[in-house]
Amino acid sequence: MFKNHIIIAWRNLLKNKAFTLLNIVGLSVAIGVAILLSMAAFFELSYDNFHKKGDTVYQLYSDWQIPGGNDINVPQPMPLATALKDEVPGISKISRYLDGHTLLLHNKKELTVDMTWVDPDFFSIFSFPLETGNQDTLLQEANTVVMTNKMATTIFGNSDVIGKTIDLLIKGKKTPFVITAILKDVPDNSTIQIGVLGNFKDSPRYHEVKNRWDHSNHEVYMELQEGVSVSQFEKSTRSLVNLHFKEEIENTKRDGASPDENGQFVQLKLNSFKDAHFSNYKKNEVVVSRALPYVILGIAILLLFIACVNFVNMSIAKSTNRLQEIGMRKTLGAGKKHVFLQFWSESVLVFLVTLLLGGFLSFLLLDEFKSLFNTGATFNNTLSLGTIFVFGVIFLLLTGITGGYPALLLSKLGTLQALKGKVQINGRDRVRDILMIIQFAIVILLISGTFVLRGQLQYMRTKDLGFNKEQVISVPLNGKRNGYKLVNLLREEFKDQPDIINITASRGNLGRGRDGSQYTSQIGFDYKNRQARSHMFIVDYDYLKTLDIKLLSGRSFDRSFGSDSLSVVINEAMVEELQETDPIGKKLRMNSIDYTVVGVVKDFNFKKLDQTIAPMTLFMSSQKDVRYAYFKIAPTNISQTYDHIRSIWKKLEPNATFLGSFLNENIDRTFKKERIMITIITSGAAIAVLLSCIGLLAISLLVVNMRTKEIGVRKVIGASVFSLIVLLAKDFVKLVIISFIIIIPVAWWYSNQWLQEYSYRMDLSIWFFIAAGLSAIGIALGTIGFGTIKAALQNPVKSLRSE
């Protein structure tokens, strides 16, 4: 019997080729896209799951009470980790973590590598698998390193390198390190990405600052002992904090800060490492959000929903051609069950075909999808027995519900009703209208989301950041020469080049360069018997001139002033921090050195736009090397100038990779999350529109078929083509308007909530949503017109022939 149902189903599908093709195309696209989106979401949600002790591993951060609120800090003082291990119970393992870039030298090779400095406990806390070497002795000895298989192969051509020596450029000096172990390559879904690891005690300046509680430059990770809760640990750290930060706490009290709910002015806290990838450490709170993967999953579900609604509506639309077949089956003795199984088997067959085609489509588009959405998701790292089971259950539910609903409707038809070719099922139109409202509500939501996201991104791209990002090239100084010496050599090389207007340098980059780094450093100090805090930028001469940063008062660093190594330039936010109306000439005592304020600059965005502009102090210091050169170039011959800079770089640093980029590119790289969300929602909106058009076409054809004779009568008594089109389209437009009214409050609320994450954001305009609604109406009218115009133009004699 079942075999017979399948054979008949196959014949009917072939008989209605257009109907079958539309169904298969719509479902295949939806399933294929849903598979890709689900893979990306599952990949995001799988971050750091490979660590065996993930449930007991935490990242340490400190919560400082300051006048007017609190301040979250992730960088920790040098002695803190050791003091915690010695003085606080409940810690199983603890490791400091300092990440950066270091020049690696081997034979004639010079590579800028990701260099991570950790304590030996790091390998017990995290589950980075070892390929060769002794797990128990990793980094126990000084001047030893561990590297990944990929890094070893890059340097030596193979991973059989245990016992070999490499040189690292530490504080401008070549320092030999012995390779003692090789790690397997780090998975893509790891928050911590490593290349070469060294002992934290071998890191630059460690011995200079190892006992300083006022020097914070690294993260701390730890594993708690079994049975020790986060709250227990945090409570047990209070005596240590009150002892070692006694002076800072007294200063905080003096400045008017209020204690937290536990009476603490400084509290050490833990953030689960499982949340690390989804955490954003803002000024006064830690925000853990998995919104992005769930938005991706939500769009996948919405697309599947639209495709399934289309299938239901199209199945009902074409059922009018098979009513007499149903009547004949029932006349010959077929029961409801037999009719249901016949139509449901056709649905099952369509779904099986679309599942295969959708899977094949996702396989073909995987590489393009990974590139477009910037994801490391693959079938290997996302498919498991669990995910396959979930996909299987979803497929069975879709087949059962989506295929079963039209089959159930048709199986309930009475014999005479079917033989007459009339469909009268109570509530059917209501269900159809509700499904259509939901469809277009989804479309309007996605279109409005696209408009809002693009508007905010455009706002951030065009916002005045306080510096020139258009004609400035940033180049990481990743060679073996001293940064200051290299910049002076570059100045000498380009002194007669009219296309190079200015050259300067700094220790930190603006935006995110091609080397992937972002750098800021903070310092706290006493000023007029109260605590002040500031970000620090080490810069070279001509920094303000090269970047077109506006000087509000005083002067910039000047070669004619020999004492500028003890001078600083501050921004407007720092003026407020100092609570001075005229800070020029004031002395700031930092790290036991007195610096004189010689200039004030207009605030500029040196951090991401989701953060307010913080106090900033610019220094001239030969004690800390500069790491980035900046070239201000003429707006003409931009491509040739860039190539010329690269050629001179190769001349001066022949073995170092040139990673120059324009500052506007660097700023764009900081918008990674926004670009991914725009790509996802825009793509989802486009596919949702396509699928909804297919569904709307099916509904309009159903309505036209049901009202064919009415159209013929109206034409006979003088109705125009335009009036008939309005008659047929107005009901659909009403449904789209209802969709708009229902979904706009939701879209507005969600958009407003999302924009609150940004300190600098556009004004949310109602026109974003009106444009989305008008787009939906235009799409609906264009789709409906395909079927209605043909019916309105049809000869009424043909419509009334059967009467």
Side-chain angles (χ1 to χ4, degrees):
M1 178 65 74
F2 183 72
K3 180 181 178 182
N4 184 52
H5 284 314
I6 294 297
I7 293 172
I8 295 173
W10 178 252
R11 289 174 179 171
N12 280 317
L13 291 174
L14 290 179
K15 182 179 179 181
N16 300 297
K17 292 183 178 65
F19 160 75
T20 303
L21 182 63
L22 283 174
N23 260 332
I24 288 176
V25 169
L27 280 170
S28 298
V29 170
I31 290 173
V33 172
I35 289 173
L36 291 173
L37 291 175
S38 300
M39 285 171 56
F42 290 145
F43 176 77
E44 282 290 307
L45 293 172
S46 71
Y47 258 79
D48 303 314
N49 285 349
F50 64 92
H51 293 295
K52 297 175 183 177
K53 301 177 181 178
D55 292 330
T56 58
V57 175
Y58 299 90
Q59 183 178 28
L60 185 74
Y61 67 95
S62 54
D63 190 354
W64 290 72
Q65 300 303 308
I66 59 175
N70 66 310
D71 192 14
I72 298 295
N73 287 294
V74 176
Q76 302 301 332
M78 283 288 190
L80 179 60
T82 304
L84 284 172
K85 188 67 182 292
D86 294 340
E87 302 174 30
V88 176
I91 299 175
S92 174
K93 306 285 183 182
I94 191 167
S95 175
R96 293 165 289 191
Y97 175 92
L98 178 61
D99 192 27
H101 292 85
T102 301
L103 189 67
L104 184 150
L105 308 168
H106 177 70
N107 295 335
K108 294 184 179 181
K109 285 187 177 180
E110 294 182 13
L111 299 173
T112 301
V113 297
D114 290 326
M115 188 69 210
T116 307
W117 305 97
V118 297
D119 291 307
D121 274 355
F122 179 85
F123 299 99
S124 300
I125 296 172
F126 298 106
S127 305
F128 292 108
L130 197 64
E131 187 167 293
T132 56
N134 188 341
Q135 180 80 32
D136 299 327
T137 61
L138 296 179
L139 301 185
Q140 296 288 349
E141 298 181 11
N143 291 87
T144 59
V145 294
V146 175
M147 63 177 58
T148 61
N149 185 304
K150 181 180 180 181
M151 183 59 66
T153 304
T154 301
I155 299 168
F156 297 96
N158 61 78
S159 59
D160 184 20
V161 295
I162 302 297
K164 293 187 178 181
T165 301
I166 58 171
D167 291 318
L168 298 177
L169 200 65
I170 307 293
K171 296 180 67 175
K173 296 180 180 179
K174 288 172 58 176
T175 307
F177 285 81
V178 178
I179 302 169
T180 59
I182 298 296
L183 297 173
K184 292 182 180 178
D185 290 335
V186 179
D188 290 331
N189 56 346
S190 173
T191 301
I192 295 176
Q193 291 292 329
I194 51 181
V196 181
L197 298 101
N199 192 306
F200 191 86
K201 294 180 180 179
D202 293 327
S203 62
R205 299 189 68 218
Y206 170 77
H207 294 287
E208 300 173 29
V209 295
K210 65 179 180 180
N211 296 318
R212 284 180 50 180
W213 286 86
D214 63 342
H215 185 89
S216 301
N217 70 339
H218 64 277
E219 301 170 23
V220 174
Y221 295 99
M222 65 176 67
E223 176 193 348
L224 294 182
Q225 293 175 358
E226 188 174 351
V228 178
S229 68
V230 171
S231 59
Q232 285 176 317
F233 168 81
E234 291 177 354
K235 187 175 181 180
S236 65
T237 63
R238 290 172 187 169
S239 59
L240 177 147
V241 166
N242 293 334
L243 173 64
H244 293 289
F245 294 106
K246 183 178 179 180
E247 184 178 346
E248 289 85 348
I249 291 172
E250 291 301 322
N251 291 337
T252 299
K253 289 180 181 179
R254 177 200 62 199
D255 296 342
S258 301
D260 63 15
E261 64 274 11
N262 297 311
Q264 291 294 114
F265 287 88
V266 181
Q267 175 66 65
L268 296 181
K269 295 185 177 182
L270 298 179
N271 184 34
S272 174
F273 186 71
K274 281 197 166 182
D275 296 331
H277 178 68
F278 309 99
S279 297
N280 186 8
Y281 291 90
K282 295 195 172 182
K283 180 177 176 60
N284 58 356
E285 64 178 335
V286 179
V287 179
V288 178
S289 174
R290 290 176 169 82
L292 180 59
Y294 287 124
V295 165
I296 296 173
L297 273 178
I299 292 175
I301 292 170
L302 292 178
L303 294 179
L304 280 177
F305 175 81
I306 292 174
C308 291
V309 168
N310 289 349
F311 183 85
V312 170
N313 288 330
M314 292 175 72
S315 296
I316 295 173
K318 294 302 293 182
S319 66
T320 54
N321 296 335
R322 299 180 63 184
L323 294 180
Q324 291 184 342
E325 174 193 339
I326 296 170
M328 288 299 298
R329 283 178 178 275
K330 291 200 169 188
T331 302
L332 296 173
K336 290 182 181 179
K337 180 179 72 173
H338 298 97
V339 175
F340 174 84
L341 286 175
Q342 178 59 60
F343 284 90
W344 185 69
S345 61
E346 292 181 16
S347 300
V348 171
L349 192 58
V350 170
F351 269 89
L352 285 173
V353 172
T354 54
L355 178 64
L356 294 174
L357 289 176
F360 181 65
L361 183 65
S362 65
F363 176 78
L364 286 180
L365 297 178
L366 181 59
D367 289 339
E368 287 77 7
F369 176 82
K370 288 170 63 178
S371 175
L372 183 64
F373 289 84
N374 195 24
T375 177
T378 64
F379 288 103
N380 289 335
N381 62 24
T382 53
L383 285 185
S384 63
L385 289 176
T387 54
I388 291 173
F389 176 77
V390 170
F391 279 126
V393 170
I394 292 173
F395 177 74
L396 291 175
L397 287 174
L398 290 178
T399 307
I401 297 172
T402 307
Y405 176 71
L408 184 64
L409 285 181
L410 296 173
S411 68
K412 286 183 176 181
L413 285 174
T415 305
L416 292 176
Q417 196 180 6
L419 287 171
K420 287 180 180 180
K422 295 180 179 179
V423 181
Q424 294 175 349
I425 303 172
N426 294 332
R428 179 184 58 79
D429 288 348
R430 188 179 305 144
V431 172
R432 182 202 69 193
D433 291 348
I434 290 172
L435 290 176
M436 182 177 168
I437 288 171
I438 295 173
Q439 267 193 331
F440 272 90
I442 293 170
V443 170
I444 294 170
L445 178 66
L446 292 175
I447 292 175
S448 61
T450 299
F451 289 163
V452 171
L453 281 167
R454 289 186 178 278
Q456 175 63 13
L457 183 60
Q458 184 63 18
Y459 171 83
M460 293 191 295
R461 280 176 169 166
T462 57
K463 182 184 180 298
D464 181 10
L465 301 180
F467 60 86
N468 175 22
K469 58 187 174 71
E470 300 301 329
Q471 275 94 43
V472 178
I473 299 172
S474 166
V475 181
L477 303 176
N478 54 2
K480 60 185 178 182
R481 293 179 186 270
N482 172 274
Y484 286 107
K485 291 181 180 178
L486 180 56
V487 171
N488 287 330
L489 287 173
L490 289 168
R491 285 190 176 113
E492 188 64 26
E493 289 283 346
F494 290 110
K495 66 180 180 181
D496 297 323
Q497 298 294 324
D499 289 332
I500 306 294
I501 300 172
N502 274 310
I503 300 175
T504 189
S506 75
R507 188 169 179 83
N509 203 0
L510 292 171
R512 186 181 293 277
R514 285 176 58 195
D515 60 345
S517 68
Q518 282 184 300
Y519 169 88
T520 59
S521 178
Q522 279 188 287
I523 188 171
F525 60 96
D526 252 15
Y527 182 73
K528 291 187 176 180
N529 296 319
R530 55 185 172 77
Q531 187 78 3
R533 301 178 72 85
S534 175
H535 287 265
M536 304 168 58
F537 256 36
I538 308 299
V539 302
D540 197 13
Y541 293 111
D542 303 322
Y543 187 78
L544 304 186
K545 189 188 299 184
T546 303
L547 294 168
D548 292 328
I549 296 173
K550 186 176 181 181
L551 185 67
L552 298 179
S553 62
R555 65 175 179 84
S556 182
F557 300 110
D558 195 320
R559 292 174 177 84
S560 61
F561 290 86
S563 62
D564 266 359
S565 60
L566 296 176
S567 300
V568 294
V569 175
I570 62 176
N571 67 351
E572 294 173 283
M574 188 62 189
V575 175
E576 293 181 17
E577 179 77 2
L578 297 176
Q579 298 178 18
E580 293 282 1
T581 55
D582 183 13
I584 303 299
K586 296 297 188 292
K587 300 287 186 181
L588 309 181
R589 189 167 183 80
M590 305 178 187
N591 293 335
S592 303
I593 301 174
D594 288 327
Y595 294 92
T596 303
V597 178
V598 298
V600 176
V601 297
K602 186 177 177 61
D603 281 342
F604 63 97
N605 291 90
F606 59 91
K607 300 177 78 174
K608 291 182 66 176
L609 287 177
D610 60 355
Q611 301 177 35
T612 56
I613 297 177
M616 162 63 73
T617 304
L618 304 178
F619 293 80
M620 282 276 298
S621 173
S622 59
Q623 300 300 312
K624 293 185 178 181
D625 202 8
V626 288
R627 296 174 177 170
Y628 296 89
Y630 296 95
F631 298 81
K632 182 180 180 181
I633 65 174
T636 55
N637 304 319
I638 291 176
S639 178
Q640 294 91 326
T641 304
Y642 181 88
D643 291 338
H644 188 40
I645 292 172
R646 179 167 50 191
S647 65
I648 295 299
W649 170 269
K650 285 296 181 183
K651 172 185 171 183
L652 299 176
E653 289 285 4
N655 298 317
T657 306
F658 179 77
L659 297 174
S661 58
F662 285 89
L663 284 188
N664 56 353
E665 298 172 359
N666 292 3
I667 301 302
D668 267 358
R669 289 189 188 93
T670 65
F671 304 145
K672 176 182 175 182
K673 180 184 73 172
E674 290 77 15
R675 290 202 311 272
I676 290 175
M677 286 191 69
I678 285 174
T679 303
I680 290 170
I681 294 180
T682 303
S683 303
I687 296 170
V689 166
L690 174 65
L691 296 176
S692 295
C693 288
I694 294 174
L696 185 58
L697 178 62
I699 297 172
S700 62
L701 290 174
L702 171 63
V703 172
V704 168
N705 286 338
M706 292 175 62
R707 302 178 70 175
T708 299
K709 293 180 176 60
E710 177 191 346
I711 293 170
V713 171
R714 287 180 178 275
K715 288 200 72 174
V716 167
I717 61 176
S720 66
V721 172
F722 178 76
S723 65
L724 289 173
I725 292 173
V726 172
L727 174 71
L728 294 171
K730 67 179 181 179
D731 291 336
F732 295 105
V733 174
K734 285 179 184 177
L735 296 179
V736 177
I737 293 172
I738 292 171
S739 302
F740 175 80
I741 294 170
I742 291 172
I743 202 63
I744 283 308
V746 177
W748 179 282
W749 179 85
Y750 188 81
S751 298
N752 189 59
Q753 290 295 112
W754 178 73
L755 286 173
Q756 296 308 311
E757 296 181 10
Y758 297 88
S759 298
Y760 303 95
R761 53 186 177 270
M762 67 175 185
D763 294 326
L764 189 58
S765 171
I766 189 63
W767 289 106
F768 287 116
F769 307 98
I770 292 175
L774 292 175
S775 299
I777 291 174
I779 291 165
L781 289 174
T783 306
I784 295 164
F786 182 80
T788 55
I789 292 174
K790 182 180 178 182
L793 293 173
Q794 186 171 279
N795 191 328
V797 174
K798 186 177 180 181
S799 303
L800 298 170
R801 185 181 299 163
S802 61
E803 290 296 321

